[in-house]
Amino acid sequence: MAGDSSSWYVKSVEKTFAVLDAFTEEAPAQSVSEVAAAADLSRAAARRFLLTLTELGYLSSDGVRFQLAPRSLNIGSAFLANLTLPAIAEPHLKSLSADLQETASVCILDGEHVVYVARVTAPRLLSVAVHVGTRFPAWATSMGRVLLSHLDPEDRQSRLDRSEIRRYTVNTVADRRRLDEELASVRARGWAVVREEFEEGLSGVAVPIRRGNQVVAAANVSLHPHHRAESCLGDLILPRLVQAAEAISADYGIRPLS
């Protein structure tokens, strides 16, 4: 929100991005009324924004429903092109995924969410469609918990206060006291494991990626049922994941800071 920036804040830009943000993986095609509700706009205003964005090529429409067009990728492509971490991480993730026959990923923290910036998938498909750019609530994921645990306490609590902490499955740690305790444990032991808390059948383990003394990202391995035993996690998954994260950290650390 604008806050104290009213002298320069352009409200129409905020509304434009509210309209674009209305299109999600769960609702990729939406009507004018649906966008109006999601973006907190009147139907007439939403229609004007949608038609303008369609004319500019950022949306497409069949006359009833709208969806993002390929040109919308331009908004994020420049950021990804200048983010060297994905390119550095990819060969290490490929090796990790091949060794474990599991999906390996790297995420960064963005507000209250984690964003996937690199991913190498195993041959089998997960129940959740995940790709580069996918966002999940940080508190409910192994990578997010690693990243949150390394924030200073005030920043961490502020992000958690802004998060919608709710129960996704019977396994979800949705109590703030328990979540704070879990984040403290993650910080102390250096890794996080989440077992079917965000979606049934989806489990993962994550460790930090560092640049110098700063945790800048997290690396993750998705856990298939045959790799969920504690012995397998400690003897196979974690050592190989830590090795990959350390290799990514080493390669990333030699790149000059922008």
Side-chain angles (χ1 to χ4, degrees):
M1 286 298 152
D4 296 329
S5 56
S6 56
S7 62
W8 52 261
Y9 196 83
V10 182
K11 193 71 175 178
S12 60
V13 174
E14 177 189 324
K15 293 178 179 178
T16 299
F17 280 96
V19 169
L20 290 171
D21 286 342
F23 297 93
T24 65
E25 289 185 46
E26 295 76 20
Q30 299 197 51
S31 67
V32 174
S33 296
E34 290 168 335
V35 171
D40 194 22
L41 296 171
S42 68
R43 191 179 186 282
R47 182 175 181 275
R48 290 195 298 271
F49 278 98
L50 289 167
L51 291 176
T52 299
L53 288 166
T54 300
E55 181 68 21
L56 292 173
Y58 290 96
L59 298 177
S60 61
S61 174
D62 61 5
V64 177
R65 304 180 74 80
F66 294 81
Q67 60 185 15
L68 294 174
R71 190 175 183 183
S72 64
L73 292 171
N74 293 349
I75 296 173
S77 61
F79 169 76
L80 290 174
N82 289 305
L83 187 64
T84 57
L85 179 58
I88 291 171
E90 186 174 3
H92 298 290
L93 294 181
K94 285 181 177 178
S95 177
L96 180 62
S97 178
D99 285 352
L100 300 177
Q101 289 297 293
E102 301 286 9
T103 295
S105 309
V106 168
C107 275
I108 59 173
L109 192 61
D110 181 22
E112 304 89 68
H113 296 83
V114 287
V115 181
Y116 284 76
V117 297
R119 186 166 173 83
V120 176
T121 58
R124 52 182 167 272
L125 296 177
L126 294 173
S127 57
V128 174
V130 180
H131 48 75
V132 170
T134 293
R135 302 164 63 89
F136 286 139
W139 67 270
T141 67
S142 60
M143 283 183 284
R145 289 182 184 175
V146 164
L147 294 169
L148 288 171
S149 74
H150 284 84
L151 297 175
D152 67 74
E154 184 177 347
D155 188 7
R156 178 170 60 251
Q157 293 307 316
S158 176
R159 295 183 196 231
L160 289 174
D161 288 343
R162 298 194 303 268
S163 301
E164 182 189 358
I165 297 176
R166 62 184 179 88
R167 189 169 296 282
Y168 289 99
T169 74
V170 295
N171 299 310
T172 305
V173 177
D175 176 78
R176 273 295 293 271
R177 181 185 60 81
R178 286 186 59 204
L179 186 57
D180 287 339
E181 292 173 351
E182 173 62 17
L183 291 175
S185 296
V186 169
R187 176 73 178 253
R189 68 178 178 246
W191 53 273
V193 62
V194 169
R195 299 183 185 278
E196 300 185 276
E197 291 191 41
F198 188 63
E199 179 169 306
E200 292 182 4
L202 185 66
S203 299
V205 60
V207 298
I209 293 172
R210 303 175 186 272
R211 195 169 208 187
N213 294 323
Q214 182 183 8
V215 172
V216 295
N220 158 278
V221 168
S222 299
L223 299 177
H224 192 259
H226 73 276
H227 271 163
R228 290 182 193 170
E230 289 299 326
S231 59
C232 187
L233 183 65
D235 295 340
L236 175 65
I237 302 292
L238 262 175
R240 186 64 186 87
L241 176 59
V242 168
Q243 181 183 30
E246 290 177 346
I248 294 170
S249 298
D251 286 352
Y252 194 42
I254 64 175
R255 300 295 179 93
L257 290 169
S258 56

